[in-house]
């Protein structure tokens, strides 16, 4: 791997498992010093230990994304230890299934606090440290859900992820004068423990077959995009959302792939409509 993130310090939330763990590994492989931030101590320590055993600089820091003081301590502790914060990777997110008519306000609020308010708080707290460096990279995991697609039982999740897209655009304009870029990534289905809890193996197989690239995404797929956006290669990209979904948000493409060759035709009359 290249050392394009050499000596950069990255905070990665939700890095105990799944996409966050994949992002932490890819950033470390590119040279970043990684703070594995998660509420799950066992999983978080496991990720940090695995990175250190592979020869990378990594520590675990417990954080509760429902607790503002906990998030402030995470940022302050990182700055105290390393003297800088270059990359904020807001990967953590929750997606319980709750139908609107049976959803409590507390359930709604919890999803928005973890998925939308936490990235706001962490962005606010990291900004001053990035200003001192004269550069910074803030990246948030959004989703194709809420921005391109939607599902029953996921209204709170969809709203939070659509909110992320609006947030990064506004934040990008505020921090641009300080050479701090703010972007988001919209994953589709990713093979994570969370997906495996929600779906049966048969469901996942169907999802893969309906994806134009014919496979479910892997955490490293998102990690590779994080590494790009965190690097100097993405110096002129800000306020942008990039899909990482294998084409999953292109349902017409998936539907057409099922048709037999020659079954779908556009005649001269329809092409003029």
């Amino acid at each position: 791997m290249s050392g394009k993130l050499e000596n950069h310090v990255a905070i990665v939330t939700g890095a105990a498992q799944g996409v966050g763990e994949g992002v932490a590994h890819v950033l470390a492989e590119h040279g970043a010093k990684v703070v594995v931030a998660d509420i799950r101590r066992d999983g978080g320590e496991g990720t940090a230990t695995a990175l250190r055993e592979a020869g990378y600089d990594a520590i675990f820091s417990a954080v509760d994304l429902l607790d503002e003081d906990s998030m402030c301590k995470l940022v302050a502790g990182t700055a105290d230890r390393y003297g800088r914060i270059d990359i904020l990777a807001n990967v953590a997110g929750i997606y319980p299934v709750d139908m609107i008519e049976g959803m409590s306000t507390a359930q709604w609020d919890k999803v928005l606090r973890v998925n939308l308010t936490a990235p706001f708080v962490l962005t606010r707290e990291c900004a001053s440290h990035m200003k001192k460096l004269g550069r910074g990279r803030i990246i948030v995991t959004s989703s194709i859900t809420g921005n391109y697609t939607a599902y029953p039982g996921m209204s709170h999740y969809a709203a939070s992820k659509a909110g992320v897209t609006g947030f990064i655009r506004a934040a990008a304009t505020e921090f641009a004068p300080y050479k701090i870029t703010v972007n988001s990534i919209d994953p589709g289905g990713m093979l994570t423990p969370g997906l495996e809890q929600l779906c049966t193996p048969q469901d996942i197989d169907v999802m893969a077959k309906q994806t134009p690239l014919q496979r479910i995404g892997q955490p490293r797929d998102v990690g590779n995009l994080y590494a790009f956006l965190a690097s100097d290669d993405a110096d002129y990209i800000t306020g942008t959302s990039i899909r990482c979904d294998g084409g999953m948000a292109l349902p017409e493409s998936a539907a057409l792939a099922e048709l037999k060759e020659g079954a779908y035709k556009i005649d001269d009359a329809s092409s003029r409509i």
Side-chain angles (χ1 to χ4, degrees), residues 142-151 154-165 186-187:
S142 184
S143 177
I144 61 172
T145 304
N147 291 297
Y148 303 94
T149 64
Y151 302 93
M154 302 287 276
S155 62
H156 41 14
Y157 180 78
S160 70
K161 294 306 185 178
V164 164
T165 301
D186 297 338

Side-chain angles (χ1 to χ4, degrees), residues 3 11 15 34 59 77 84 102 124 151 161 207 216 220 250:
I11 295 174
V34 176
I59 62 168
R84 60 190 294 151
R124 183 191 67 198
Y151 302 93
K161 294 306 185 178
M207 191 182 301
I216 294 293
R220 290 187 67 89
L250 304 173

Side-chain angles (χ1 to χ4, degrees), residues 12-21 23 37-40 63-66 71 89-97 110-119 122 139-143 154 156-158 160-161 164 185 187 192-195 197-198 226:
V12 184
T13 67
Q17 67 176 27
V19 173
E21 182 180 4
V23 170
D38 206 295
I39 196 170
R40 293 161 293 189
V63 66
D64 182 353
L65 297 182
L66 292 171
M71 289 185 277
N90 293 281
V91 187
I94 57 174
Y95 39 94
V97 177
K110 181 178 181 179
V111 172
L112 266 71
R113 285 180 64 192
V114 171
N115 295 356
L116 182 56
T117 303
L122 290 169
I139 309 164
V140 188
T141 298
S142 184
S143 177
M154 302 287 276
H156 41 14
Y157 180 78
S160 70
K161 294 306 185 178
V164 164
I185 296 172
T192 65
L195 184 68
Q197 288 177 359
L198 281 177
Y226 261 91

Side-chain angles (χ1 to χ4, degrees), residues 2-246:
S2 71
K4 62 184 178 182
L5 301 179
E6 196 73 36
N7 297 319
H8 287 53
V9 175
I11 295 174
V12 184
T13 67
Q17 67 176 27
V19 173
E21 182 180 4
V23 170
H25 275 271
V26 175
L27 295 185
E29 289 165 8
H30 283 285
K33 300 174 183 178
V34 176
V35 177
V36 174
D38 206 295
I39 196 170
R40 293 161 293 189
R41 180 170 293 277
D42 288 348
E45 290 280 14
T47 299
T49 298
L51 288 172
R52 289 194 297 269
E53 289 177 347
Y56 305 118
D57 188 331
I59 62 168
F60 169 71
S61 183
V63 66
D64 182 353
L65 297 182
L66 292 171
D67 185 333
E68 183 170 348
D69 185 57
S70 177
M71 289 185 277
C72 292
K73 288 180 178 178
L74 165 66
V75 175
T78 300
D80 286 345
R81 181 182 181 92
Y82 291 107
R84 60 190 294 151
I85 299 173
D86 301 88
I87 303 161
L88 171 61
N90 293 281
V91 187
I94 57 174
Y95 39 94
V97 177
D98 298 298
M99 302 301 283
I100 292 172
E101 290 182 297
M103 188 189 307
S104 69
T105 303
Q107 289 170 304
W108 172 275
D109 287 345
K110 181 178 181 179
V111 172
L112 266 71
R113 285 180 64 192
V114 171
N115 295 356
L116 182 56
T117 303
F120 151 69
V121 172
L122 290 169
T123 294
R124 183 191 67 198
E125 296 303 307
C126 285
S128 60
H129 300 285
M130 293 178 175
K131 284 182 179 181
K132 294 175 185 176
L133 296 176
R135 74 177 301 281
R137 297 288 188 265
I138 297 169
I139 309 164
V140 188
T141 298
S142 184
S143 177
I144 61 172
T145 304
N147 291 297
Y148 303 94
T149 64
Y151 302 93
M154 302 287 276
S155 62
H156 41 14
Y157 180 78
S160 70
K161 294 306 185 178
V164 164
T165 301
F167 171 70
I168 64 103
R169 290 173 179 169
T173 64
E174 290 190 24
F175 295 123
Y178 308 101
K179 309 305 179 191
I180 299 170
T181 64
V182 188
N183 294 290
S184 64
I185 296 172
D186 297 338
M190 293 287 151
L191 193 58
T192 65
L195 184 68
E196 291 173 326
Q197 288 177 359
L198 281 177
C199 302
T200 66
Q202 292 76 21
D203 291 335
I204 294 174
D205 185 56
V206 170
M207 191 182 301
K209 290 178 179 178
Q210 291 179 342
T211 300
L213 287 184
Q214 295 288 290
R215 70 173 177 87
I216 294 293
Q218 299 292 328
R220 290 187 67 89
D221 292 320
V222 180
N224 291 334
L225 190 47
Y226 261 91
F228 166 69
L229 290 173
S231 73
D232 289 343
D233 294 336
D235 197 52
Y236 202 57
I237 300 174
T238 195
T240 296
S241 299
I242 302 177
R243 286 210 326 262
C244 183
D245 69 341

